[in-house]
Amino acid sequence: MPVAPTLGDILRLEEQELNHEFGAETLGSEDEIEQQEEVPEGFCIECKDQKAQVFCEQCQEDFCDVCGGMIHRTGRRRLHTFKALDSAHATSEAVAADNSVDKEVEHDSNIDMDMCDSEAKHVDDGEVSDDNGKGANEDIRMSGAMSVTFSAQSGRVETGSSGPSFAEWITERAKYIPLRLTLKERKYLRLLEAALNVSEYTDKIDVLMYGSKSKRIVAQIKELCAILSGLVLASDYKAGQSLFEERQFEDNEEFYQKIFEIGRRHKIMNPEKMRNEYGKLMYMLQDSQLSDVQSMLSFSAVAPIKTVYSVLESLGVTYVLEDEMVAVATKEIVAQGKARSQVQLEIKQKERAIEYLCKAYATHDCPAEVIRQCLYSIGDNHAYLRFNRDPCDRMLGYLTRLFDAQRAESDSFSLAILYGRDGARLSHSHTNQFHYVRQTLTLWREIQHDMFMLWHHADSDLLSVKNTYRLKDTGQGLNRVQSCPRVSKSAHTILHRTQKAVGRWVGSAMIHLGDHNVPNALMFIDKYNQVSSILNPIVRVLEFLETHEVLARDTSGRTVSSSQRDVMRFIESAYGTIEQAKKLILADFFRSAFDGSGSDNFFDAGSCIDGRLTSAWNWCSSVEKKPFFNVFLLSGFVGFNGGPEGFS
């Protein structure tokens, strides 16, 4: 019986035929072809730079989890069977896969195109896989690292059977948690913000002009450093005199690195701050990494971002993260729905846990204040998750609780959309739209959960020495178009885990990075930082309605104010019931905010990963035209970008 050819045999046969037909010069020299075909033993046959984790019995090839899942997600390959590879399968050659940051950039630069090619072959905008019929809780549960869900409200960690422990989870996450700024660092931050506020760096650099751009860059960087020096001298004469008296810019390299690192670290933990200044800072640091600018500038302005793990590692006390009391010392205390006595008890427990850890692990090299600062930084991380990630969980809860996945309650509450109707660019039935919205919210939730990691990778991509950019008109003015190898790899990994979690996928899975839609990693981060700005105001309006719904059902005789009574009377007369008002708002949001609209042409809209966020912003821009906008105003809403959470 003849042996069935493997996938590798078929690909090699096709390449030989192409060589014969078009000549070897079309594909490159024989040495180059052999180099492209070589795959290190124990690595994925597709991306060639990740360890193989599964073996496809039909393809007879080894894949990593991400590539295997993407290639076998649709079509007949969905029926292929996988076998997990033993850890011993990875040979010693895999250990030396990445010895430098520059080598990693060269490897990773091919991943974006590989993923795009896979999507173009295997993803159709209207294609839907089978529904596993899982419940909402099972849909959101991730595999591997995503089997861990930290609850910012309770401070508990729920782990799956194969998930890591809390110590492993927090140790890995601490590598990306920025260290909270000290009082002295906050003073430097104010000086940096003031200097960047008056700087016109991007106005003078990102323009099409003749002459030496490098000289203009160096002049602008030195001007910014001179402004900083003057501000430091004005705020503290003695400190400024000791720093800058009879010194050149290169003599204060460490000072400039420190103050620029403070700004980057502060922005990661506070995305709503430094909205204009941060872009100038990153583009200035990006230009300072150019080789010709470096030679003229004579100093480097870039230093690694301080994280909780890097600080503890430098002091040799990373084992403090393995203590189970870290969970108590870093949990966020939320007073909502709790008695005053319970809140006070949790505060005391947290304070005692912090003091215990500071006394137990303080050393001569690592004072108690450093440990306390690290614990506070982890607590800031949990607060960040509650504000940015938890709205996605709330919206997922509303979707699964108020809407049936199989059929619509009525035409008014149907999620079905049709191309061309009300500006929609997609056509989905109620069931397809339900799963489309669910998978999008789940993906946003996981991106917010890993935003610190993505931000660190974006920082590395932007400031890489060899990853240069080109100034290009993207249709929205001149932008710096730059590849994003690290962000691309992490984003595709998150996407793959989400696809495994939701069980089915509707629409495209294309992630735009380094093109005219998302020019660089900074734009990617800024785009997904807006998720909380979109969802938080909507959640606040729904909570406002729920509060009045509870008052309407309350039979305990509690006194209701006249204003609350008037609000309930108005909502009931206009919408029937408060429940109907909630469903009306959510049905319109789930339809119009996920319909592929928001772009001025067909190619930039649709169901791709970035197009989903674009259509959500399009809905926000037209919310004042909605019939339920008066409910928004009653709840105190002022805008999706005005005041805390968009409320006055």
Side-chain angles (χ1 to χ4, degrees), residues 6-12 43 45-46 52 54-63 72 82-83 85:
T6 65
L7 179 61
D9 295 335
I10 296 173
L11 293 175
R12 281 190 290 272
F43 280 76
I45 190 67
E46 181 71 13
V54 293
F55 174 76
C56 178
E57 295 181 345
Q58 283 71 29
C59 298
Q60 293 292 305
E61 299 288 0
D62 297 338
F63 298 94
H72 293 81
F82 287 95
K83 182 172 66 175
L85 295 175

Side-chain angles (χ1 to χ4, degrees), residues 517-533:
N517 290 306
V518 184
N520 52 55
L522 179 62
M523 298 296 181
F524 175 86
I525 292 296
D526 182 67
K527 195 177 183 76
Y528 283 96
N529 273 331
Q530 309 307 318
V531 170
S532 60
S533 300

Side-chain angles (χ1 to χ4, degrees), residues 195-263:
L196 291 171
N197 188 38
V198 300
S199 173
E200 297 179 349
Y201 184 84
T202 51
D203 296 335
K204 295 183 177 181
I205 300 300
D206 289 349
V207 291
L208 299 177
M209 291 179 61
Y210 293 103
S212 175
K213 184 176 180 180
S214 300
K215 290 183 179 179
R216 284 189 285 124
I217 291 173
V218 172
Q220 289 298 313
I221 293 177
K222 287 186 175 181
E223 179 182 328
L224 180 61
C225 292
I227 295 173
L228 279 172
S229 304
L231 290 174
V232 172
L233 187 65
S235 62
D236 191 338
Y237 181 76
K238 289 185 178 180
Q241 190 178 33
S242 62
L243 276 172
F244 306 111
E245 187 178 18
E246 297 181 358
R247 288 191 176 188
Q248 300 297 323
F249 289 108
E250 55 267 23
D251 298 329
N252 291 307
E253 177 182 23
E254 185 177 347
F255 169 77
Y256 293 125
Q257 287 180 349
K258 176 182 178 181
I259 198 168
F260 293 143
E261 184 272 337
I262 288 172

Side-chain angles (χ1 to χ4, degrees), residues 84-196:
L85 295 175
D86 297 333
S87 58
H89 186 78
T91 62
S92 58
E93 297 178 10
V95 179
D98 186 10
N99 292 327
S100 66
V101 173
D102 297 332
K103 184 176 180 181
E104 182 183 349
V105 172
E106 294 174 3
H107 281 306
D108 290 351
S109 61
N110 297 323
I111 292 180
D112 212 358
M113 292 304 299
D114 290 344
M115 291 297 182
C116 293
D117 292 342
S118 298
E119 293 300 335
K121 294 176 183 177
H122 302 296
V123 176
D124 182 73
D125 192 55
E127 189 171 13
V128 182
S129 60
D130 294 338
D131 186 9
N132 294 331
K134 297 182 179 180
N137 294 333
E138 292 182 0
D139 292 333
I140 301 175
R141 187 171 62 244
M142 303 290 120
S143 63
M146 293 176 68
S147 64
V148 178
T149 302
F150 185 87
S151 173
Q153 287 80 1
S154 64
R156 294 193 306 270
V157 175
E158 300 173 2
T159 56
S161 57
S162 60
S165 63
F166 172 75
E168 295 171 337
W169 181 83
I170 199 63
T171 300
E172 180 62 27
R173 191 167 185 84
K175 296 178 181 178
Y176 306 106
I177 298 177
L179 191 68
R180 177 189 280 196
L181 269 59
T182 62
L183 180 60
K184 185 177 180 180
E185 289 176 333
R186 292 183 186 278
K187 293 180 179 178
Y188 283 135
L189 175 67
R190 301 294 175 261
L191 300 181
L192 176 63
E193 288 179 329
L196 291 171

Side-chain angles (χ1 to χ4, degrees), residues 15 38 41 60 169 172 199 224 349 395 456 460 531 581:
E15 191 167 343
E38 288 180 359
E41 184 180 353
Q60 293 292 305
W169 181 83
E172 180 62 27
S199 173
L224 180 61
Q349 290 175 345
M395 294 302 289
H456 276 261
S460 300
V531 170

